[in-house]
Amino acid sequence: MTFDLFDALPTDPDAAPAAEPLAPGAVVLRGFAREAGPALLGAVGEVSAGSPFRHLVTPGGLRMSVAMTNCGERGWVSDRTGYRYDGVDPDSGRPWPPMPEPFRQLARDAAAAAGYADFRPDACLINRYLPGTRLSLHQDRDELDLRAPIVSVSLGLPATFLWGGLRRADGPARVRLAHGDVVVWGGPSRLVFHGIAPLAAGDHPLTGAERINLTFRKTR
């Protein structure tokens, strides 16, 4: 069984960022990254110039619909051999681009606002969604240190975030995420299954027909 949380959305786009509890250890920070959006998207362009977006392949041989790249000390990769973090971009053989300081600062500030002090991410996964693309329910469990939270930043087109439980079979809540919203989860919610429903078509003044998601992690 699924349920919607859309009624909790703020109606005033100019209102101060609001924190919405999602579950124990998890919160949605409404509009937290809105003002930083142009700078963050500019940095995405710089990162992708060095390590272009690509569609990874799952261990089962399926092509992921979401295009992605990474920045930071390590990047998340997938191929026929499995899921893992690697300090080298397999497409170029070079280290991933360094994490831009606006990325790092935003991740730290958002984590602190959610109650996670001194968050020091060493990886940022950058996902690019086009209309129709989706991300199936999954857990973020490839990190060695699960005490650190996950910080996820939405930019561009709105999306439906699927927030499940600790079992894949748990019916997910549907949480509407707009440009600038940040989701932070950790503690008892660190291994919750989550995903993104198929992206609806639209046009955003900063990203056009795209949604960009930044996911910050401490991998070790």
Side-chain angles (χ1 to χ4, degrees), residues 54-130:
R54 76 288 309 264
H55 293 271
L56 299 178
V57 175
T58 69
L62 299 177
R63 179 180 181 269
M64 295 184 180
S65 66
V66 176
M68 74 166 300
T69 186
N70 297 274
C71 63
E73 297 172 27
R74 307 178 78 199
W76 187 85
V77 296
S78 172
D79 55 27
R80 287 298 192 114
T81 66
Y83 305 120
R84 64 191 182 279
Y85 284 99
D86 198 317
V88 173
D89 179 346
D91 283 8
S92 68
R94 300 190 301 269
W96 298 100
M99 189 181 301
E101 186 55 33
F103 280 23
R104 195 180 304 276
Q105 189 62 54
L106 177 67
R108 289 176 176 171
D109 290 347
Y116 297 96
D118 200 31
F119 177 49
R120 299 185 180 184
D122 57 7
C124 176
L125 286 61
I126 307 174
N127 286 344
R128 184 181 66 194
Y129 293 79
L130 297 176

Side-chain angles (χ1 to χ4, degrees), residues 3-208:
F3 58 96
D4 289 329
L5 296 181
F6 294 135
D7 290 343
L9 281 172
T11 56
D12 180 3
D14 297 321
E20 292 179 12
L22 192 57
V27 66
V28 182
L29 303 174
R30 292 293 181 191
F32 194 88
R34 188 182 299 132
E35 291 187 6
L40 296 174
L41 289 167
V44 168
E46 295 175 4
V47 170
S48 62
S51 285
F53 284 99
R54 76 288 309 264
H55 293 271
L56 299 178
V57 175
T58 69
L62 299 177
R63 179 180 181 269
M64 295 184 180
S65 66
V66 176
M68 74 166 300
T69 186
N70 297 274
C71 63
E73 297 172 27
R74 307 178 78 199
W76 187 85
V77 296
S78 172
D79 55 27
R80 287 298 192 114
T81 66
Y83 305 120
R84 64 191 182 279
Y85 284 99
D86 198 317
V88 173
D89 179 346
D91 283 8
S92 68
R94 300 190 301 269
W96 298 100
M99 189 181 301
E101 186 55 33
F103 280 23
R104 195 180 304 276
Q105 189 62 54
L106 177 67
R108 289 176 176 171
D109 290 347
Y116 297 96
D118 200 31
F119 177 49
R120 299 185 180 184
D122 57 7
C124 176
L125 286 61
I126 307 174
N127 286 344
R128 184 181 66 194
Y129 293 79
L130 297 176
T133 57
R134 61 188 292 271
L135 192 62
S136 60
L137 287 174
H138 65 282
Q139 294 172 303
D140 293 338
R141 59 182 311 144
D142 296 323
E143 301 75 33
L144 298 180
D145 184 358
L146 296 179
R147 295 172 298 177
I150 301 292
V151 175
S152 178
V153 181
S154 292
L155 300 170
L157 289 181
T160 300
F161 183 54
L162 304 177
W163 178 258
L166 296 176
R167 301 176 305 164
R168 187 183 295 275
D170 293 335
R174 295 167 60 85
V175 184
R176 184 74 163 177
L177 296 179
H179 173 71
D181 289 346
V182 180
V183 185
V184 183
W185 67 95
S189 292
R190 177 60 179 76
L191 291 178
V192 162
F193 280 88
H194 58 282
I196 295 290
L199 191 72
D203 183 64
H204 190 274
L206 294 179
T207 65

